[in-house]
């Protein structure tokens, strides 16, 4: 089994996409994360869902998590809505993960090693310069542990 | 909205559970990760799917990812099956993530901050000493970005 046989189509957003719409995309489709491309469509970052969740966390709370407790419930409930109008580039985590990229002929182990090393539940699969799609950790586990291809 | 209203029931495995069966559990149910408890049922680790994927990666490949390329496709395809009979404690990542734990009255922001800080797509919700359940990043995003509770 090679990566080319495992790829899934996956929605991508750009650095200029609206952060609220991007969060809603992953929420609606219950995606494992988000692929962020640059203007030319080349993948730049792969964000896991825990990083997309961090879009909602104000900078001062990220610096001092204890401050999360001072935000009341009503304001917290509006945290997602307040992202409307903000581009993704402004809410990216400070050190977005290294992009996991594998070749089309990568094996299960090569894919697993790339995900383990970058600690992200997504890897991009390329054939030369072309992006074929992504493989999610869920898909890889399904193929490896159950043998199911659906 | 408080964490107690957001909890989901979630299957847990123990440190002594079979690593293959544990991987199949998350694969079958397409879970975001795995809760690992100790003998007394207390959650010890929360592993994201990229860490469960790493169960399949031999130690020498984790130390030197370039070695993933020397394992041929047929052997790689059998990586999951070879975990049968191995306990989860033997394939845990070297530095399993800090456990994200929040109180039952935690807000959306407190949950998001806990997931962002630990960089895991799951947080355990406790009421005093009792484990109420977990909240996944997917569920949190769904509630925060779409307002849907189903």
């Amino acid at each position: 089994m090679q990566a080319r046989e495992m790829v899934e189509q996956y929605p991508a957003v750009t650095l200029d996409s609206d952060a609220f719409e991007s969060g809603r995309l992953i929420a609606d489709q219950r995606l494992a994360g988000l692929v962020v491309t640059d203007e030319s469509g080349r993948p730049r970052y792969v964000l896991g869902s825990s990083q997309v969740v961090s879009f909602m966390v104000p900078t001062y709370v990220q610096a001092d998590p204890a401050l999360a407790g001072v935000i009341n419930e009503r304001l917290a409930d509006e945290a997602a809505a307040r992202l409307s109008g903000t581009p993704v580039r402004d809410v990216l985590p400070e050190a977005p993960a290294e992009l996991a990229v594998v070749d089309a002929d990568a094996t299960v182990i090569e894919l697993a090693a790339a995900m383990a090393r970058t600690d992200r539940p997504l890897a991009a699969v390329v054939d030369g310069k072309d992006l074929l799609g992504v493989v999610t950790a869920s898909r890889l586990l399904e193929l490896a542990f159950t043998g199911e291809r659906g």
Side-chain angles (χ1 to χ4, degrees), chain A:
Chain A
M1 196 161 46
Q2 298 189 347
R4 72 176 81 246
E5 307 164 62
M6 299 185 238
V7 290
E8 306 160 73
Q9 292 312 310
Y10 210 81
V13 302
T14 74
L15 289 165
D16 296 317
S17 295
D18 185 86
F20 176 75
E21 294 303 330
S22 303
R24 196 159 65 177
L25 179 74
I26 162 171
D28 274 343
Q29 303 189 23
R30 285 195 155 248
L31 300 175
L34 213 50
V35 176
V36 184
T37 67
D38 61 20
E39 300 69 29
S40 67
R42 202 167 33 191
R44 280 282 297 279
Y45 306 113
V46 172
L47 305 179
S49 54
S50 54
Q51 294 182 303
V52 178
V53 158
S54 78
F55 289 3
M56 293 190 282
V57 183
T59 317
Y60 64 91
V61 175
Q62 293 193 29
D64 181 359
L67 291 176
V70 306
I71 300 170
N72 73 32
E73 189 178 331
R74 190 183 55 78
L75 282 174
D77 286 348
E78 293 165 3
R82 278 198 304 275
L83 290 170
S84 194
T86 303
V88 165
R89 69 170 76 246
D90 286 359
V91 289
L92 278 182
E94 272 205 16
E98 180 194 355
L99 188 63
V101 180
V102 299
D103 288 324
D105 63 356
T107 65
V108 167
I109 298 274
E110 286 174 298
L111 266 167
M115 289 181 193
R117 186 172 47 81
T118 57
D119 201 9
R120 289 295 146 227
L122 289 172
V125 181
V126 295
D127 190 358
K129 278 187 182 169
D130 297 329
L131 176 71
L132 296 186
V134 307
V135 178
T136 61
S138 286
R139 174 92 173 129
L140 180 59
L141 289 169
E142 189 176 33
L143 289 164
F145 280 88
T146 74
E148 272 169 40
R149 309 220 166 193

